[in-house]
Amino acid sequence: MKKIIVAIDGYAGTGKSTQAKSLAKYFGCVHVDSGAMYRAVTYFGQQQTTDGSIDIKLLIDSLPQISIDFELTKNGQQTFLNDENITDLIRQSKVNDKVSDVASIHEIRSFLVDIQKEMGSSKGVIMDGRDIGTIVFPEADYKFFLTASPKIRAQRRYEEQQKKGIIETLEEVLANITARDHQDSTRIVTPLKKAKDAIEIDVSYMSIDDVFNVMIENIVES
Ligand code: CDP
């Protein structure tokens, strides 16, 4: 297994996880979807109260009880929260609507960033998220930053959600993506931004394979 660290950051719905998955397969290393970890903590917080609202103080105090694992199965990578498979549950709109609030809390970020750093300490990892090239792995071997027009991202995410059986309108998806972009880019704690040394790729008019090929070319050529 090659010990390579690749950071893929960017806006919501740019296909970061899809690319990270393909690169991990290509290089025979682990894929860590850091967004799934913020989603898992959000889901955990919503389960703590009877009405599904998040009690931030309670959630922060409960962080030591949270364990998040990824497992590669024949159905793709699955996310586990304290041994419960939450892969599909964390894609629901109630999680989409609250995850950026949860991700703006310093204690939660530092809890997850420590785990993420640990995941890359011993073996190769392809990690996607918002702060991977800037905070989690500033020394990553390769960094990419994906962008695309909000409308195109919303259309792609809408189709993805439909395939998963999650009922949302295109307008709702676009509104959520736009709101999260804004919140993620303007939060005080480590906002979403391109690392100075990241390669920016506008994926608006590129196929999944085109984007993958650009990434591989950049990695192989350097
Ligand atoms: O797949 P999508 O781009 O829609 O989102 P995600 O990668 O699953 O991330 C969900 C949310 O988690 C983001 O909107 C951010 O608020 C937060 N996040 C973050 O703050 N830092 C990360 N490294 C990854 C995700």
Side-chain angles (χ1 to χ4, degrees):
M1 192 185 284
K2 200 165 177 252
K3 193 179 180 316
I4 175 183
I5 295 189
V6 180
I8 307 177
D9 290 302
Y11 294 99
T14 43
K16 301 179 295 290
S17 291
T18 304
Q19 297 301 337
K21 191 169 39 171
S22 303
L23 287 181
K25 200 169 171 198
Y26 186 90
F27 288 110
C29 55
V30 178
H31 164 215
V32 177
D33 175 354
S34 69
M37 300 172 79
Y38 287 92
R39 288 172 180 274
V41 172
T42 305
Y43 177 77
F44 183 92
Q46 290 173 330
Q47 296 295 105
Q48 284 186 302
T49 60
T50 42
D51 64 356
S53 65
I54 296 177
D55 177 337
I56 297 292
K57 188 177 175 312
L58 176 65
L59 177 56
I60 292 172
D61 289 344
S62 312
L63 288 174
Q65 298 164 24
I66 296 181
S67 150
I68 301 166
D69 295 293
F70 295 106
E71 208 176 286
L72 197 57
T73 71
K74 61 177 181 0
N75 297 323
Q77 182 160 286
Q78 306 290 305
T79 309
F80 290 85
L81 168 67
N82 297 339
D83 296 329
E84 180 191 356
N85 188 335
I86 53 157
T87 312
D88 294 332
L89 295 171
I90 57 174
R91 303 290 151 189
Q92 301 173 100
S93 41
K94 70 167 194 173
V95 175
N96 287 338
D97 290 344
K98 287 286 168 256
V99 61
S100 289
D101 290 346
V102 169
S104 68
I105 297 160
H106 166 74
E107 289 86 344
I108 292 173
R109 299 203 72 79
S110 74
F111 170 73
L112 290 180
V113 167
D114 285 350
I115 299 173
Q116 290 155 4
K117 286 187 170 166
E118 184 63 31
M119 287 171 159
S121 65
S122 57
K123 46 192 183 217
V125 64
I126 317 289
M127 197 175 290
D128 71 283
R130 302 291 187 287
D131 59 347
I132 311 305
T134 50
I135 303 290
V136 181
F137 296 125
E139 307 303 328
D141 300 293
Y142 305 99
K143 298 181 187 179
F144 296 99
F145 190 85
L146 306 189
T147 65
S149 86
K151 274 194 177 158
I152 289 175
R153 290 187 280 128
Q155 181 66 38
R156 288 179 184 166
R157 179 55 55 90
Y158 170 69
E159 287 165 15
E160 236 173 65
Q161 296 286 78
Q162 285 220 313
K163 276 189 205 140
K164 287 184 186 148
I166 298 171
I167 311 298
E168 279 177 327
T169 65
L170 179 59
E171 289 69 30
E172 282 166 346
V173 176
L174 178 61
N176 176 258
I177 278 183
T178 315
R180 282 198 288 127
D181 283 353
H182 177 72
Q183 212 175 335
D184 293 344
S185 316
T186 54
R187 70 175 171 232
I188 296 164
V189 201
T190 60
L192 161 66
K193 68 168 192 254
K194 176 183 162 306
K196 281 197 191 75
D197 51 349
I199 296 163
E200 183 166 338
I201 309 174
D202 182 342
V203 305
S204 297
Y205 301 103
M206 293 171 79
S207 69
I208 291 173
D209 286 351
D210 290 342
V211 180
F212 179 75
N213 290 334
V214 169
M215 287 183 164
I216 290 290
E217 272 165 31
N218 273 287
I219 295 175
V220 172
E221 274 170 18
S222 58

